[in-house]
Amino acid sequence: MANDGHSRDPSGAGKAGVKPGGRGRVTLQIIADRLEVSTATVSLALRESPLVADGTRLRVQQIAREMGYSYNRSAASLRTDRTNILGVGFHDITNPYFAELLAAIEETAAAHGRSILLGTYAENLQRQDRVLTTLKEYRPDGMIICPAGGTTAETLQHLMAAQVPLVQLSREIPGIGLDFVGSDDRHGTVLAVEHLLGLGHTRIAFLGESPLISTGRNRYRGYCETLAKHGLPLDPTIVYSAYGTRENGLKGVQKVLDAANPPTAAVCFNDLTAFGAMLGLRHRGLEAGSDFSLIGCDDVQEAAQWYPGLTTIKNFQDEMGRKTAEMLIRRIADPSAPSQRAVLTPELVVRGTTAPPKAAR
């Protein structure tokens, strides 16, 4: 049937300048014209305002979805000086510890009407600078940062100069005066070493000594101080220096086993290092728990799923992530408030990878 030029589009999609299949941006005015309401009503309905009747609000939201309406965040941020975005800069999200932190941050941010924008940079300072600069260009209301190894106060100066509200998470830059949320890492390692000493171990290795990060320094300090407290010497041949990864755990445990006087147990920088060490032991025909004792740190969900289950230090990632997001939201609301530090107390979780040394059984 020929089109006589007067047929109507039953969907109304061609009204107010919106062409079917076209890419014209749908505005509040177009939706208002379609529904024959004011732009103020449309705006309130899309923001779930109780001032709009339920029926009207649902109708507006349905039509907005059908027409492909997209919220113009840039324009809104210019009006309100807020983007409702929290930037998050992590050096690693392949580590489940940071994935669990990120999940808690995102959940808390969403509960406060915020979204997160994530950037990652490994342990690379140049990449970190590019990523944090890019995040800053999106004008987040504030940022959460777990800095790469070797980061200094000068590294973050461009963010501080731009007056971006910042909270440090897990890793802390000394003397910078920024808010911080993390764990008492020294105390966690003290718990780990004391547990092994209590089982009868006196040759205890440390896998993952990493002086470029605060967590590495603090955990290693707890190791050294606890050995000294019990009159045990610090033996560099059973200390493996590297970032905490599965690969380094595998390499590290084999290196310390080759020492002239090998250890019977090891404290690992984190759970990933311990997982790698468990595999490294199997390469030597040994099993964690029965032949060699291992303790991790973080208590990621995977730790309880290994066989044997990993004895570890619980750092309460859910609480840490939640507290970090909440602290940043408070900092955004009150930029001039005194800086705050929230340090969680870790706990020892005993599972199957620790036991008395074989010679004592």
Side-chain angles (χ1 to χ4, degrees):
M1 178 177 176
N3 189 334
D4 62 3
H6 298 286
S7 62
R8 296 178 59 84
D9 175 3
S11 71
K15 284 189 177 182
V18 182
K19 298 177 181 179
R23 290 182 56 85
R25 188 171 64 83
V26 179
T27 65
L28 297 181
Q29 185 64 61
I30 290 172
I31 298 172
D33 290 346
R34 166 79 179 275
L35 295 171
E36 297 181 349
V37 297
S38 69
T39 55
T41 297
V42 173
S43 177
L44 290 169
L46 293 175
R47 287 185 283 132
E48 302 282 353
S49 171
L51 298 176
V52 180
D54 289 346
T56 301
R57 175 171 50 79
L58 293 172
R59 194 157 52 99
V60 168
Q61 292 174 352
Q62 179 182 351
I63 294 301
R65 281 193 299 271
E66 290 175 359
M67 298 180 73
Y69 172 74
S70 178
Y71 178 60
N72 190 338
R73 191 174 294 277
S74 297
S77 67
L78 291 174
R79 291 193 302 270
T80 64
D81 199 32
R82 285 281 185 267
T83 60
N84 288 327
I85 291 174
L86 305 182
V88 178
F90 276 2
H91 71 286
D92 183 13
I93 56 168
T94 61
N95 183 338
Y97 170 75
F98 292 100
E100 291 172 18
L101 284 173
L102 184 63
I105 291 169
E106 196 281 331
E107 182 177 350
T108 306
H112 288 81
R114 263 85 169 185
S115 299
I116 63 169
L117 185 63
L118 174 67
T120 63
Y121 31 76
E123 301 287 4
N124 185 312
L125 292 175
Q126 290 183 329
R127 183 174 166 187
Q128 175 179 261
D129 187 65
R130 291 196 302 270
V131 168
L132 295 182
T133 297
T134 299
L135 287 175
K136 181 179 67 176
E137 291 169 353
Y138 280 91
R139 300 180 66 246
D141 296 337
M143 292 175 64
I144 293 167
I145 299 174
C146 184
T151 299
T152 63
E154 184 179 0
T155 309
L156 302 181
Q157 186 57 44
H158 67 107
L159 297 177
M160 300 171 67
Q163 299 184 324
V164 178
L166 299 172
V167 176
Q168 303 173 94
L169 171 60
S170 188
R171 298 178 177 184
E172 185 174 22
I173 308 304
I176 199 170
L178 294 174
D179 295 332
F180 170 74
V181 180
S183 180
D184 186 342
D185 292 302
R186 174 194 166 278
H187 178 64
T189 310
V190 169
L191 292 176
V193 178
E194 291 284 3
H195 173 64
L196 292 172
L197 291 170
L199 291 171
H201 296 276
T202 56
R203 293 287 291 169
I204 302 171
F206 189 93
L207 307 181
E209 187 262 345
S210 40
L212 292 179
I213 53 179
S214 64
T215 46
R217 293 190 296 271
N218 293 333
R219 292 174 191 178
Y220 186 60
R221 180 163 61 93
Y223 167 78
C224 295
E225 290 177 355
T226 309
L227 291 181
K229 174 185 171 183
H230 289 269
L232 297 172
L234 176 64
D235 184 352
T237 67
I238 58 172
V239 173
Y240 186 76
S241 298
Y243 285 121
T245 66
R246 293 177 197 260
E247 181 182 7
N248 288 332
L250 188 150
K251 292 178 179 178
V253 76
Q254 296 188 74
K255 180 178 183 296
V256 300
L257 286 173
D258 289 336
N261 184 9
T264 59
V267 172
C268 299
F269 170 76
N270 60 12
D271 287 348
L272 277 192
T273 306
F275 298 152
M278 291 173 76
L279 295 176
L281 290 172
R282 288 173 183 166
H283 284 207
R284 297 293 183 94
L286 303 173
E287 194 68 33
S290 57
D291 301 306
F292 189 96
S293 288
L294 281 175
I295 297 186
C297 184
D298 292 334
D299 194 29
V300 299
Q301 292 180 10
E302 187 181 345
Q305 297 165 4
W306 274 71
Y307 184 80
L310 178 65
T311 296
T312 187
I313 301 298
K314 187 176 185 65
N315 276 333
F316 300 98
Q317 289 85 266
D318 286 349
E319 183 179 0
M320 196 184 300
R322 176 177 57 78
K323 283 182 177 292
T324 304
E326 290 172 346
M327 185 176 288
L328 180 58
I329 289 167
R330 290 196 301 271
R331 173 60 57 193
I332 292 166
D334 189 0
S336 61
S339 61
Q340 295 183 325
R341 296 180 81 253
V343 179
L344 281 61
T345 302
E347 295 179 0
L348 175 69
V349 179
V350 178
R351 296 193 180 99
T353 57
T354 52
K358 291 184 75 172
R361 296 177 205 167

